Amino acid sequence: MEFKSLRLILAVAIIGMIFTVPADAGSTKGRFFITVTGKDGKPIADATVTLISKESSDKKYVVKTKDNGKATKIGVDPDMYDLKVEKEGYQFLEGQVKLRPGVNVKLEETLLTEKEWYEAEFEKLPQDVRDKAKASDALNAGLEAYQAGNIELAETKLKEAVTIKDDINYSAYLLLGQFASNRQDYENAAKYLEKAAELDIEEKHFADIRRL
């Protein structure tokens, strides 16, 4: 399963905490403070933070985090805002925040790298879905290695695929049977080819299996 395709079926989750602190009781504006860190707790600089009013898209505020991961916007019109935090190489965050007159709003947000986000969302999937994805990845890697002439790697990856999901694809067993036959390991070759025949339901490749 490719990384990008998987991402299309997964929802974006926001990780954050919101604090409201009294500011200037006489002020008609709000103050917005945000701290953006990575999964390791280190500050993330140059993250773009955007506030867009839900009432009017013309009311928009954009700030960037500094080296300490912090950004501030003073004098924000009271309103409900759509919030977006983003930086290249990271999975963006989206949410909502309400700015009130004379109130400081402080947020702490964690940005995950695209890989970290993918891994976290992947672990939420049912076990059978994860197994199929891992087996498919191993199968594809094995087929690519075979086409490149790297038989050792191909065999390793194909064995990994059928270990994770034993009914992944007849082609994995067909190649494993071929590899075993080539080194005169006929006992294992027969087992692999028998499984290949079992999975080749439409018998489209029966001749290839018989030949081996």
Side-chain angles (χ1 to χ4, degrees):
M1 178 179 292
E2 294 184 357
F3 175 79
K4 292 184 179 178
S5 65
L6 181 60
R7 285 184 59 192
L8 293 176
I9 66 171
L10 299 174
V12 174
I14 183 166
I15 308 170
M17 298 170 59
I18 300 178
F19 303 91
T20 57
V21 181
D24 182 357
S27 174
T28 60
K29 302 287 187 178
R31 295 181 179 182
F32 176 77
F33 304 85
I34 187 169
T35 302
V36 181
T37 59
K39 184 180 179 180
D40 57 4
K42 295 180 180 179
I44 295 178
D46 295 321
T48 301
V49 182
T50 305
L51 294 170
I52 300 179
S53 168
K54 296 188 71 65
E55 183 178 301
S56 172
S57 59
D58 292 335
K59 192 187 298 183
K60 178 179 178 181
Y61 302 92
V62 180
V63 292
K64 279 187 173 290
T65 57
K66 299 179 181 179
D67 290 342
N68 59 3
K70 298 181 182 294
T72 303
K73 185 63 183 178
I74 306 300
V76 181
D77 289 334
D79 206 344
M80 178 66 75
Y81 291 85
D82 286 325
L83 168 71
K84 187 171 186 178
V85 184
E86 56 191 330
K87 182 176 180 177
E88 185 176 357
Y90 290 82
Q91 179 64 32
F92 65 85
L93 298 178
E94 289 184 322
Q96 294 183 356
V97 60
K98 186 175 182 63
L99 273 295
R100 298 179 174 86
V103 175
N104 292 342
V105 173
K106 296 184 177 182
L107 277 68
E108 295 179 358
E109 302 294 344
T110 301
L111 278 183
L112 300 179
T113 65
E114 292 176 344
K115 181 180 179 181
E116 290 169 343
W117 177 85
Y118 168 81
E119 291 173 347
E121 294 300 310
F122 184 78
E123 289 303 313
K124 297 177 184 178
L125 295 173
Q127 185 65 50
D128 61 330
V129 175
R130 283 184 283 158
D131 287 346
K132 186 175 181 179
K134 291 177 181 178
S136 294
D137 286 344
L139 174 64
N140 290 334
L143 294 176
E144 289 176 4
Y146 174 69
Q147 292 172 354
N150 190 338
I151 303 303
E152 183 178 354
L153 178 60
E155 186 168 15
T156 297
K157 286 297 181 181
L158 293 175
K159 284 183 177 179
E160 179 183 333
V162 300
T163 298
I164 297 171
K165 192 168 179 59
D166 64 0
D167 61 348
I168 183 62
N169 190 282
Y170 84 92
S171 61
Y173 290 98
L174 182 60
L175 286 174
L176 287 171
Q178 177 181 316
F179 299 154
S181 179
N182 288 346
R183 60 173 175 266
Q184 299 183 351
D185 181 3
Y186 299 121
E187 181 179 351
N188 281 317
K191 292 179 181 178
Y192 286 132
L193 295 177
E194 182 179 347
K195 186 66 175 180
E198 177 187 325
L199 295 177
D200 186 24
I201 299 174
E202 298 180 3
E203 297 186 352
K204 291 183 178 180
H205 304 274
F206 183 70
D208 292 334
I209 296 170
R210 285 289 301 275
R211 176 175 53 81
L212 293 172

